[in-house]
């Protein structure tokens, strides 16, 4: 497509990306797919085709796993000294920063998120996790254990543990934060010494392809392979591959369940970061203005397409009406429109099926008897060029058993649920199959601590919402997932432990006692 028809100036590298058919990155080279199929990369803001991308198939996955296996088995990455590994991973972070403009623009064009948000959050969070994990490369240590064994009197042992990479890991990522979710997975896996086959989401391949153009040469061939393609084809082939040692997945709970089953068949570790339906709970003693802002960013940032969206806003009855009035007032100031425009707050929904899903949920909520007090339909106003924009929507009078309160919409749709007191808030907050995150707004620190202990969620924010850091473990309770990303936990998820025993003093122990 001709980049100049859009009302912004695209970075030269973005323009050249838009004009190429994108290939697969296997064994350190850009290669064609064996499927000879391509899929279109589309701009959700306009529906226009941006580029074409090779759609990898099971043969491509096999080749990528083989390349990763060879790289791993030949020690191309594991034998690189830890300090050198750390320097390379750090350099990846620096290169991401140097390419901020093109990465942010592509993330915006491909996913529909405001370019200002991609530039301020997605890109620097991605570069920073590489630098954080670079530090871990030199801190992967075992322990020395002063061992004693009752049935071998007189014998002495020197015993210690080693932490070793699991091997070749399959990583499958979603379309809502393509670059960041890739960074969350690639950085710890590399720091722990693994080789990788990564499958981006078919809806949003762009930023990861550019990432590979930028960083590919830093790594020995085969250490990091990227195979784009459909979930049911390339994704499934990766999850079922017999030669991978771990799967890390972020996406829907239903796909996560299938992938877990594939992991179970091979008895390999699986980490899953899945959906959410998080309660954001406002007590009457809260700083209400701060809570309004937290509720707005909790649901409308990234057009509501975040697993941590605070999509159930629980408001204490005593402040309900005034709180909702202010919420509507602030939500109305959201500037909806072209995500490439620097002052846009809310962009389009990323894919046509997702747009339809959100619209269906608006109908479901209305049919269930929820009151639509803001929005409630497609946004066709100023700035909406295409047909995937949804009005920021607020429903009041929602009860927690309605589908709009129990099911993940993944769009800019907020359900407001009133509650009486702390016990009621806790009951409603936990009455859900998901458990990714929760927010508590209160000036009573005792209550804040009680609530954060009792809410069944992997992250609890008090008097804030949506902050994440690569230093803090992130993951879910219940159907929201298994395992943790970020922080030390993420490194541990890509390592396994070995115990070594060395006899330093033998004894005439009864050989039949040993197990
Ligand atoms: P969504 O419904 O939000 O698109 P998915 O869970 O379907 O989320 O997709 C997240 C990622 O998982 C994408 O990269 C997708 O291609 C991949 N995927 C979907 N289904 C499968 C599957 N059965 N096996 C492996 N990967 C899959």
């Amino acid at each position: 497509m001709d980049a100049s028809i859009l009302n912004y100036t695209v970075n030269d590298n973005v323009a050249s990306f838009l004009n190429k058919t994108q290939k697969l990155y296997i064994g350190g080279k850009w290669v064609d797919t064996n499927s000879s199929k391509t899929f279109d990369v589309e701009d959700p803001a306009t529906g226009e085709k941006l580029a074409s991308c090779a759609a990898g198939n099971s043969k491509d996955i096999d080749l990528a796993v083989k390349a990763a296996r060879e790289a791993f088995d030949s020690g191309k990455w594991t034998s690189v000294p830890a300090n050198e590994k750390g320097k390379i991973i750090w350099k990846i972070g620096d290169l991401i920063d140097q390419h901020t403009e093109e990465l942010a623009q592509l993330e915006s064009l491909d996913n529909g998120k405001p370019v200002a948000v991609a530039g301020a959050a997605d890109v620097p969070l991605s570069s920073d996790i590489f630098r954080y994990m670079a530090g871990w490369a030199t801190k992967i240590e075992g322990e020395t254990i002063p061992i004693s064994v009752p049935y071998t009197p007189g014998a002495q042992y020197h015993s210690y543990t080693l932490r070793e990479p699991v091997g070749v890991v399959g990583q499958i990522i979603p379309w809502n934060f393509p670059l960041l979710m890739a960074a969350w997975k690639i950085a710890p896996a590399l720091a722990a010494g693994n080789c990788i086959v990564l499958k981006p989401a078919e809806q949003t391949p762009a930023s990861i392809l550019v990432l590979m153009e930028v960083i590919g040469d830093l790594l020995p061939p085969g250490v990091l392979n990227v195979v784009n393609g459909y979930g049911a084809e390339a994704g499934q082939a990766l999850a079922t591959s017999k030669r991978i040692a771990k799967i890390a997945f972020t996406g829907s709970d239903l796909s996560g369940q299938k992938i877990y089953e594939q992991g179970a068949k091979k008895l390999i570790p699986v980490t899953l970061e899945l959906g959410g339906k998080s309660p954001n709970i406002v007590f009457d003693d809260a700083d209400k203005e701060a809570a309004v802002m937290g509720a707005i960013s909790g649901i409308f940032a990234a057009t509501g397409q975040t697993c941590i969206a605070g999509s159930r806003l629980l408001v204490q009855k005593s402040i309900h009406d005034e709180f909702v009035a202010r919420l509507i007032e602030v939500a109305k100031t959201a500037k909806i429109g072209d995500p490439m425009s620097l002052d846009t707050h809310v962009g389009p929904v990323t894919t046509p099926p997702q747009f339809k899903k959100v619209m269906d949920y608006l109908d479901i909520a209305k049919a269930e008897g929820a009151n639509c007090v803001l929005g409630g339909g497609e946004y066709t106003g100023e700035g909406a060029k295409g047909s995937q924009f949804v009005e920021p929507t607020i429903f009041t009078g929602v009860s927690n058993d309605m589908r709009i309160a129990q099911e993940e919409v993944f769009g800019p749709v907020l359900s407001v649920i009133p509650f009486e007191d702390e016990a009621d808030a806790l009951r409603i907050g936990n009455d859900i199959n998901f458990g990714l995150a929760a927010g508590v707004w209160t000036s009573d620190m005792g209550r804040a601590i009680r609530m954060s202990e009792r809410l069944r969620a992997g992250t609890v924010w008090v008097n804030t919402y949506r902050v994440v850091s690569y230093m803090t473990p992130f993951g879910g309770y219940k159907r929201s997932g298994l395992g943790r990303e970020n922080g030390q936990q993420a490194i541990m998820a890509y390592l396994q432990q070995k115990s070594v025993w060395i006899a330093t003093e033998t004894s005439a122990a009864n050989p039949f006692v040993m197990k």
Side-chain angles (χ1 to χ4, degrees), residues 13-32:
N13 294 342
V14 173
S16 86
F17 174 91
L18 299 179
N19 290 316
K20 267 201 258 168
T21 296
Q22 298 298 324
K23 298 188 174 187
L24 313 175
Y25 191 81
I26 298 177
K29 293 196 194 94
W30 292 102
V31 296
D32 290 320

Side-chain angles (χ1 to χ4, degrees), residues 172-175 199-203 229-232 234-237 239 249-253 255-256 258-259 354 410:
I172 299 173
I173 60 165
W175 48 257
K199 196 204 81 67
E202 55 270 40
Q203 300 85 353
Y230 295 102
Q236 197 168 322
F249 170 81
T250 299
S252 64
D253 57 331
S255 301
K258 282 190 205 153
I259 285 164
Q354 187 57 30
F410 226 59

